[in-house]
Amino acid sequence: MTDSRRERRTGVNRRPQRRTLGHAALVAAALVALAACTQPASESPPAPTSASPGTRAPAAQSDTASVTFSPAMAGRKVIPGEPLTVESRGGRFTSVSVTADDGRTLDGSLSADGTSWTSSLATDYATTYALKARIKSSDDSTATRTSTFTTLSKQKTFVGEYYPDKGATVGVAMPVSIVFNKPVHDKAAVERGLKVTAAPAVEGAWSWMKDRNGKDRIDYRPEKYWAPGTKVTLEMDLVGVNAGGGLYGIQNRKVGFTVGASVISTVDVVKKTMTVAENGRAIRTLPVSTGKKGFETWNGTMVVLSKVPTIRMNSASVGIFGPEAYDLGEVKWDVQLTPSGTYIHAAPWNEGKFGRVNGSHGCIGMSTADAKWFFGKVKVGDPVAVVNSKDTVATNNGYGDWNIGWKTWQQGSALG
């Protein structure tokens, strides 16, 4: 396999692509009053009171019921990508219709008590909708409310892709990591919308960095590895958060995961061995072959990103040609450590070198039997520490977070 300092190979994900984020149910809902139709319905309704993102604007006072809609922000600007909810104050809906500017109708249904209506489909981006609601008040009078609102454009919103998965069981070195799809200019504002809690409780800190793809990324980790059995919860309350540059958040997520058994591996490139310890006890020491001169395996702690039973490794995809070129069609029992191309895997072509000679292009190779055993033992989030090599792995090359001292890590927070 190639040295991890080379560009990542074609077809190897920078991290396991486990989800395409949807936009969650949203907490902050601005209220916008719809005009009472005591005048002809064709007349324009009064403008609503505007509110800052994430706040609630008061409904206009009238002698009949008022109507609000959510999720909304900044007056009539509505968060896209979620079902629309319309609520009545002081009356019950008899009918609600919502029509997009292209004539499409947003279907929905009334609640059992008639006080709210929810669309069956999510709203689109950058679309203007006309809302018409008929309400029966407590005094049996009826009124019609009309209004228009516009959803934010996709260019005006940002989301974060988070790791690990909801419900996952991970290793003790797994950080919480979020990569944002747009530049985050106001990092403090975004960080204030993020929270991690653990049971049992442990101190942790956020730290900002640039991901390998140049996008803004923030990771959260404790000072030392998580204790096995820890329950960790990430809360993302980013609805209406202004990231600067005219970008607003549209996510509200609550994601929990569990820390599994402690499996910590240590690779000594001088001894050419890898020792695997489970719950603090060494269970096996395996002979390995690491990166040869000029292709040395990264030093420092890396974290398991993914496991793949079989992959193709082609040196052309990482810019290695000539005498060092290779094309290995079926490489077995592959444990990925960096998005740039560092793996632990079976390397039967190096039989005779394990424990004796470092002969790889940066990966950690071993016998097929040992690689299969290791593949079955480790999980995403388990740490692999390489010692006595050269050049420490970069923080953003996978999860190199643990190579940063705790005080320096804390200084990476935008909140001081």
Side-chain angles (χ1 to χ4, degrees):
M1 179 60 190
T2 63
D3 182 279
S4 59
R5 286 165 290 183
R6 306 286 185 180
E7 294 181 11
R8 65 182 177 90
R9 69 178 60 260
T10 302
V12 175
N13 293 331
R14 55 164 298 281
R15 259 185 250 166
Q17 297 301 306
R18 294 183 289 270
R19 73 185 62 74
T20 299
L21 290 182
H23 308 314
L26 306 168
V27 230
L31 300 183
V32 182
L34 281 72
C37 289
T38 52
Q39 67 273 17
S42 60
E43 292 186 18
S44 299
T49 303
S50 184
S52 299
T55 63
R56 298 176 68 92
Q61 298 298 315
S62 72
D63 57 354
T64 55
S66 62
V67 175
T68 63
F69 57 86
S70 65
M73 55 171 280
R76 297 185 183 186
K77 285 293 185 181
V78 171
I79 303 292
E82 281 295 314
L84 178 74
T85 296
V86 184
E87 295 182 345
S88 170
R89 289 187 170 187
R92 293 180 298 106
F93 290 119
T94 58
S95 66
V96 175
S97 66
V98 179
T99 306
D101 50 14
D102 62 2
R104 289 175 298 136
T105 299
L106 198 61
D107 294 330
S109 58
L110 289 171
S111 62
D113 62 4
T115 60
S116 68
W117 176 94
T118 302
S119 66
S120 56
L121 297 176
T123 55
D124 291 330
Y125 288 86
T127 302
T128 298
Y129 292 89
L131 186 150
K132 184 177 181 179
R134 193 152 179 82
I135 307 172
K136 187 172 185 178
S137 300
S138 55
D139 61 0
D140 284 337
S141 63
T142 59
T144 300
R145 299 288 185 263
T146 61
S147 184
T148 60
F149 61 88
T150 302
T151 54
L152 291 169
S153 68
K154 189 168 288 189
Q155 291 73 26
K156 295 293 184 180
T157 64
F158 74 92
V159 296
E161 187 175 7
Y162 59 85
Y163 301 86
D165 285 325
K166 181 178 181 180
T169 297
V170 299
V172 296
M174 185 71 194
V176 177
S177 185
I178 305 172
V179 179
F180 295 97
N181 69 334
K182 304 281 180 64
V184 178
H185 300 287
D186 192 341
K187 292 179 172 58
V190 172
E191 189 175 335
R192 277 191 290 268
L194 304 174
K195 181 182 179 181
V196 173
T197 54
V202 62
E203 181 187 4
W206 292 103
S207 195
W208 288 89
M209 66 193 76
K210 288 289 186 183
D211 199 40
R212 281 177 58 82
N213 58 17
K215 294 181 178 180
D216 286 315
R217 168 180 154 190
I218 188 170
D219 285 7
Y220 181 99
R221 49 156 275 217
E223 180 177 4
K224 299 178 181 179
Y225 294 152
W226 304 102
T230 300
K231 302 289 186 181
V232 185
T233 302
L234 163 67
E235 296 178 71
M236 301 171 66
D237 186 6
L238 299 177
V239 177
V241 170
N242 187 345
L247 297 175
Y248 294 92
I250 58 175
Q251 283 176 292
N252 189 318
R253 278 283 188 266
K254 188 171 184 178
V255 181
F257 61 93
T258 302
V259 179
S262 172
V263 178
I264 300 175
S265 302
T266 303
V267 177
D268 189 321
V269 302
V270 173
K271 294 181 179 179
K272 304 169 189 65
T273 60
M274 180 173 72
T275 300
V276 181
E278 185 172 25
N279 294 323
R281 181 177 67 87
I283 55 175
R284 283 193 70 177
T285 296
L286 308 174
V288 300
S289 179
T290 67
K292 59 188 175 182
K293 186 176 181 180
F295 296 91
E296 289 87 353
T297 303
W298 287 116
N299 205 64
T301 298
M302 292 168 275
V303 176
V304 173
L305 301 180
S306 70
K307 303 195 304 178
V308 184
T310 304
I311 59 175
R312 177 185 178 186
M313 294 184 178
N314 186 338
S315 65
S317 65
V318 288
I320 299 178
F321 303 96
E324 295 292 346
Y326 57 85
D327 188 359
L328 306 172
E330 288 192 357
V331 181
K332 303 292 289 184
W333 311 119
D334 309 284
V335 176
Q336 185 185 14
L337 300 182
T338 70
S340 64
T342 308
Y343 281 78
I344 299 173
H345 61 79
W349 54 87
N350 275 341
E351 194 70 44
K353 293 183 178 180
F354 307 132
R356 299 177 56 215
V357 178
N358 289 323
S360 80
H361 289 83
C363 285
I364 299 161
M366 60 189 70
S367 72
T368 300
D370 286 348
K372 183 177 181 179
W373 175 86
F374 182 72
F375 184 93
K377 176 60 63 175
V378 296
K379 59 190 169 298
V380 170
D382 284 339
V384 176
V386 177
V387 299
N388 297 322
S389 191
K390 296 172 63 177
D391 301 331
T392 301
V393 63
T395 308
N396 66 352
N397 190 6
Y399 300 126
D401 303 17
W402 301 99
N403 300 301
I404 306 297
W406 181 237
K407 288 186 177 180
T408 302
W409 180 263
Q410 290 175 305
Q411 291 168 1
S413 167
L415 300 179

